[in-house]
Amino acid sequence: MGDVGLSARYLDLELKNPVVLAPGQLSFNIPQIERACKAGYGAVVLKSVVGEDAKGNASMKKLRRTSLGKWVFDEEGDPVFHWKGGLDTRNFTEYLEFAKKAYETGKNHDVPIIASFLCHLPSGVEEEWNVEEWSYTARKLYEAGYIHMEIDFCPFLKEEETAKKKESVLRWYREAPKLVKEASPEIRVISKILNLDLGKSREAKMKFQEEMVRAAVDGEADAVTIANRFFIKGYVNRETGEVYDTTHGGKRLREMNQELIRRVRASGVKKPISATGGTYTGQHVFEYLSLGAQNVQVFTYVFYNGLEKAIKNLLWNPQKGLAAILRSKGIYSLKNLE
């Protein structure tokens, strides 16, 4: 198995392999971070936190809510977690103590740990930013050792009124990275792209996402993550007949996100991409990498199978693991895909 080189990158960080543990319920305490590092993930993105100003004020406090969800299966039989959740439930002071220990844990195992957070977002183009929330949060994370920080717009989906205003959303991408970087010129910002259809056609949705990416580039983001789950209104559970609104992933998400990556690269955007969505095999990892992604963030497959089993299968499964896929194509280093 060692004949295939799996080293990859997250921006300027060297990774042992391209599989990154995405932010969520598996990256919010130290035992989980320790397990992920020992299991062999290339990097870990921490459960996203709601930022605060120096006085403890948090305008996005409502997003501190417990994640709720249920399991369904996509058309290929792979598990999909129907998620209605939020960001970390702890206040920023409590979270920061965890983040400091997480950073040290990753450092001890030579596994990069990535920060992820969200602060005040203006609800309209006329509303002023709460700059102090962004600068204070970023500064404290930077002081804890973090250079690479993801802005997680993920809680905002079709059901969120704030995210229904196109110009406001594009403004977030243009302006938020600069607010984070005010804490230090060393900080590298990764903006997570939203899947917002807003009742539009698929083509209109894709064009809007392309606009988000361009806005992030204009806003001096150093990279983008493509992209979070999409929203389904009136989803019908094939097994139970239950009808409900939910966020969805699986095959459809993978296909949409891969299409967006193709479009972004074809348009000339050269910023690094961290891919995510609907990843269940090494073949899926390979597909994302071959389209131009630096790495692939995985959550659902790991949540369903466990930290150790998931990474082992994604990388080393004799038939479906990334190493086997690369070997079958005569590729013996991921550097050949760059």
Side-chain angles (χ1 to χ4, degrees), residues 309-328:
K309 181 180 177 180
I311 188 67
K312 182 178 179 180
N313 279 340
L314 289 170
L315 295 180
W316 308 115
N317 182 282
Q319 288 78 41
K320 298 181 179 181
L322 179 60
I325 299 299
L326 292 172
R327 195 179 298 109
S328 70

Side-chain angles (χ1 to χ4, degrees), residues 247-259:
T247 60
H248 191 75
K251 178 185 177 183
R252 290 173 61 189
L253 178 60
R254 181 174 68 252
E255 291 175 342
M256 290 193 301
N257 288 353
Q258 289 181 354
E259 180 180 345

Side-chain angles (χ1 to χ4, degrees), residues 74 143 149 163 229 291 300:
D74 68 12
E143 291 171 356
M149 304 183 188
R229 300 161 183 256
L291 290 172
T300 299

Side-chain angles (χ1 to χ4, degrees), residues 49-62 64 90-93 118-120 130-137:
V49 65
V50 174
E52 299 177 356
D53 65 18
K55 296 180 179 179
N57 299 312
S59 59
M60 310 299 285
K61 187 176 181 180
K62 68 177 183 178
R64 289 175 180 160
R90 290 170 285 194
N91 65 44
F92 186 62
T93 300
L118 185 64
C119 296
H120 169 256
N130 187 327
V131 175
E132 177 61 18
E133 282 188 12
W134 289 92
S135 59
Y136 178 78
T137 301

Side-chain angles (χ1 to χ4, degrees), residues 113-169:
I113 309 297
I114 314 300
S116 182
F117 67 96
L118 185 64
C119 296
H120 169 256
L121 295 174
S123 60
V125 294
E126 302 298 328
E127 183 182 340
E128 295 293 328
W129 289 87
N130 187 327
V131 175
E132 177 61 18
E133 282 188 12
W134 289 92
S135 59
Y136 178 78
T137 301
R139 184 169 66 252
K140 286 301 180 181
L141 288 169
Y142 174 75
E143 291 171 356
Y146 292 90
I147 302 295
H148 301 80
M149 304 183 188
E150 290 198 3
I151 301 177
D152 189 354
F153 298 107
C154 189
F156 286 90
L157 297 160
K158 182 183 172 71
E159 64 177 355
E160 302 281 358
E161 290 296 327
T162 308
K164 291 184 178 182
K165 303 173 184 177
K166 181 177 179 179
E167 290 307 315
S168 294
V169 172

Side-chain angles (χ1 to χ4, degrees), residues 155-218:
F156 286 90
L157 297 160
K158 182 183 172 71
E159 64 177 355
E160 302 281 358
E161 290 296 327
T162 308
K164 291 184 178 182
K165 303 173 184 177
K166 181 177 179 179
E167 290 307 315
S168 294
V169 172
L170 295 179
R171 181 190 178 198
W172 300 344
Y173 283 100
R174 284 193 301 267
E175 299 180 15
K178 297 175 184 177
L179 298 179
V180 175
K181 289 186 175 187
E182 287 182 5
S184 170
E186 291 187 86
I187 293 175
R188 298 293 176 262
V189 175
I190 304 88
S191 294
K192 191 168 187 176
I193 303 302
L194 287 158
N195 266 310
L196 292 174
D197 59 65
L198 303 184
K200 307 289 185 180
S201 68
R202 176 165 174 150
E203 179 61 22
K205 171 186 173 300
M206 283 291 172
K207 287 184 177 180
F208 184 25
Q209 285 187 294
E210 289 183 73
E211 289 185 68
M212 291 183 213
V213 174
R214 286 194 292 271
V217 172
D218 292 343

